[in-house]
Amino acid sequence: MTGFEGTTVTVAPAPADAADVRNLVGLVADLEQAQRTEDADGFLALFGPDAVWVTGAGRRLIGLGQISEFTRQVLPGAMSDGSVDYVVEHIAFITPDIALTGVRQQYLDRDGRPLATDGRGAPSYLWSRTGDTWKIVAGQNTAVLPG
């Protein structure tokens, strides 16, 4: 699978269950869509109740309550000047029910062009599965500096 800037999505250990890979890639797409449409409820539905989230500015949020409060403050209006693309670069299955997705994030202007500065991120999401449902249990939204 080709991804961000021609990268290939890698999966470890290989071979992994193709349905699990598709499911996790789809959940990252749901996260992207929630951000693009400023859908706080859709965004928050992807997190487990005890999740830990570190924002791009380094603020640590513990539990869905703190993540919700922050998200409801910053997500509305966040896409007023453009959009964002997410591409899964790597999936690491730590156990069959715990997976890490490494993502490339690119913010775009209103015309869909990549922002030249402060427009990239490299978030990681740690997912835990209960039954058939994957939820983010930890995440780090790391900004990528130009250069």
Side-chain angles (χ1 to χ4, degrees):
M1 173 189 281
T2 300
F4 188 80
E5 295 181 356
T7 60
T8 300
V9 178
T10 58
V11 178
D17 184 285
D20 286 339
V21 171
R22 282 191 305 275
N23 196 359
L24 290 163
V25 169
L27 288 167
V28 171
D30 292 346
L31 187 80
E32 173 191 47
Q33 182 65 18
Q35 186 168 350
R36 281 179 171 226
T37 60
E38 301 177 5
D39 177 6
D41 291 330
F43 182 85
L44 294 166
L46 296 166
F47 287 83
D50 298 319
V52 176
W53 178 255
V54 180
T55 70
R59 182 174 171 197
R60 183 175 292 114
L61 307 169
I62 300 173
L64 192 54
Q66 286 185 7
I67 296 167
S68 177
E69 182 180 341
F70 176 81
T71 299
R72 292 184 191 288
Q73 288 175 0
V74 302
L75 191 54
M79 296 290 109
S80 61
D81 291 330
S83 190
V84 66
D85 281 330
Y86 285 66
V87 175
V88 177
E89 287 188 313
H90 182 71
I91 300 174
F93 287 93
I94 293 117
T95 72
D97 295 320
I98 307 260
L100 176 79
T101 53
V103 175
R104 278 287 170 208
Q105 179 185 61
Q106 176 67 61
Y107 286 90
L108 310 168
D109 67 16
R110 286 184 181 182
D111 296 322
R113 293 182 302 246
L115 295 177
T117 59
D118 300 328
R120 294 171 45 129
S124 294
Y125 308 111
L126 186 65
W127 302 83
S128 177
R129 175 172 45 193
T130 302
D132 292 332
T133 304
W134 290 93
K135 295 285 184 178
I136 297 171
V137 295
Q140 172 82 34
N141 192 11
T142 304
V144 174
L145 300 176

